[in-house]
Amino acid sequence: QRSCVACRRTDSKRELIRIVRTPQGVQIDPTGKLAGRGAYLCDARECWQKALKISALNRALKTTISIEE
């Protein structure tokens, strides 16, 4: 079970989208197996917008995410 960093909804790992911080930058991890610090988001657009607005991804990944990323 994993939690969305924006809405805090708990779901299985496969139902949420993993975002991972790697040495190359922040990216979406479709396999769920990339090495690096990860955070999970729902598939809903509202969750992505909220996560950026409240800096939830910045805190979860312990980095600063630019709009381009």
Side-chain angles (χ1 to χ4, degrees):
Q1 295 288 341
R2 302 293 187 267
S3 295
C4 173
V5 296
C7 69
R8 308 307 297 165
R9 180 178 69 112
T10 303
D11 210 338
S12 69
K13 186 174 158 178
R14 299 225 182 256
E15 296 299 317
L16 298 172
I17 299 170
R18 185 171 186 247
I19 311 297
V20 64
R21 184 189 75 201
T22 65
Q24 293 78 29
V26 176
Q27 57 190 12
I28 294 175
D29 180 10
T31 64
K33 297 181 181 185
L34 284 176
R37 185 166 187 86
Y40 291 85
L41 281 171
C42 296
D43 195 19
R45 182 178 185 88
E46 297 82 28
C47 285
W48 288 73
Q49 291 172 337
K50 182 178 178 182
L52 291 172
K53 183 179 178 184
I54 64 172
S55 300
L57 283 175
N58 290 345
R59 282 192 303 278
L61 298 175
K62 297 185 179 179
T63 190
T64 302
I65 298 173
S66 66
I67 297 299
E68 294 80 32
E69 290 180 307

